[in-house]
Amino acid sequence: MSRRLRSRFAICLGRQSLLSGGLLLVVSAGLVYGLAAAIQGVERGLLWPLVLVGLFLGWGLACSSLPAWQSAPVSLLVGGVLILLKVGQLGGAAASLVGASLGQLGQGLRGIARPGMVPPDVAPLQLAWAELAGSAGILVVRVQSWLQSLASGQPVYDPVPIALLWSVALWLAVVWACWLVWRRAQPMLAVAPAIALLATVLARVGGRASYLLPMLIAALVLKALVAHERRTGHWQQLGLRIVPRVRADTIWMA
């Protein structure tokens, strides 16, 4: 294992990882509550699962050996599926399809073990496919109609396309922040999209700017923490003795 990879695992699994994750959670929470308060149709219950999964996925991709050009498609794929199932309301139809598929698999295995049995009934599987296809078609029509209304200058309120749009923005901001903090150690550039997104929304709708306060505090502390860990690594290379309370003093000063 290379020295660079060992250093990455030490950062991802050490105390700094927990502190950085907690600070990124604060930044994400500010974004969730700010968007939910400012935009009608965006609910915190829909956004929080995206935040939690995005934090873990961003952490895992940053700690892995995957380069950026491979990590990006993985995050887009996982995020797209999660958003469609949770926000796009396709989860029930997808669960029915999975259950029907497992039922077909079980009947097929029993048929192999006992030749001569009645062929499995494929009607439940066909019905599940039809339900999923129908739900997906309705979702596509709603998004298409909403986009056409925006293009015509007469927007129509539809909570599902609105929630989809902001869920995508939230997902990208969270995964980007995690990946950049744990892979590149650039905290301010990492949280800048999330802060800029919420600041733009609040300025547009005239919302409460207080939602930005915990995000800015967490960003400053995160910057101090990452900078301290960089200095600690340099001190260790020089063989200098490190006082344990330096990290805590640095965070409190920030």
Side-chain angles (χ1 to χ4, degrees):
M1 185 180 295
S2 65
R3 178 182 300 177
R4 183 177 180 181
L5 192 58
R6 288 198 302 268
S7 176
R8 185 184 303 169
F9 274 108
I11 294 175
C12 291
L13 300 177
R15 181 182 299 179
Q16 179 195 353
S17 179
L18 294 176
L19 293 175
S20 299
L23 293 171
L24 289 174
L25 183 61
V26 173
V27 173
S28 302
L31 184 57
V32 167
Y33 281 90
L35 291 178
I39 301 173
Q40 186 179 4
V42 177
E43 300 178 1
R44 296 194 299 267
L46 294 177
L47 299 182
W48 269 117
L50 299 179
V51 167
L52 298 178
V53 176
L55 286 173
F56 280 106
L57 180 66
W59 173 81
L61 292 175
C63 297
S64 69
S65 59
L66 290 178
W69 65 273
Q70 292 179 353
S71 299
V74 172
S75 64
L76 292 176
L77 177 61
V78 174
V81 171
L82 181 60
I83 290 172
L84 288 176
L85 294 179
K86 181 67 176 177
V87 184
Q89 302 175 3
L90 298 182
S96 299
L97 179 60
V98 171
S101 300
L102 293 177
Q104 288 291 311
L105 179 61
Q107 293 181 21
L109 293 176
R110 287 194 295 270
I112 295 175
R114 299 178 182 177
M117 289 184 61
V118 178
D121 183 14
V122 297
L125 184 60
Q126 294 175 344
L127 183 61
W129 269 112
E131 180 184 359
L132 180 60
S135 300
I138 294 174
L139 179 62
V140 170
V141 170
R142 294 180 68 173
V143 173
Q144 185 178 11
S145 300
W146 183 72
L147 291 175
Q148 289 176 349
S149 68
L150 285 181
S152 65
Q154 298 178 343
V156 177
Y157 174 73
D158 190 337
V160 173
I162 293 174
L164 284 174
L165 173 65
W166 291 107
S167 296
V168 171
L170 175 76
W171 175 265
L172 294 177
V174 170
V175 176
W176 165 266
C178 294
W179 194 87
L180 215 61
V181 166
W182 278 302
R183 176 67 70 91
R184 300 297 185 188
Q186 296 177 339
M188 298 308 293
L189 184 60
V191 301
I195 295 176
L197 176 63
L198 183 57
T200 303
V201 170
L202 295 177
R204 179 84 178 189
V205 303
R208 295 169 52 192
S210 58
Y211 291 106
L212 290 169
L213 183 59
M215 299 176 69
L216 294 172
I217 293 175
L220 291 175
V221 176
L222 184 62
K223 177 176 174 56
L225 177 64
V226 173
H228 171 71
E229 292 300 325
R230 281 182 173 178
R231 291 192 296 268
T232 300
H234 180 64
W235 295 338
Q236 290 175 343
Q237 291 178 356
L238 297 177
L240 300 177
R241 187 176 67 89
I242 303 173
V243 180
R245 60 174 294 179
V246 173
R247 177 190 282 109
D249 291 343
T250 301
I251 292 176
W252 282 113
M253 286 297 295

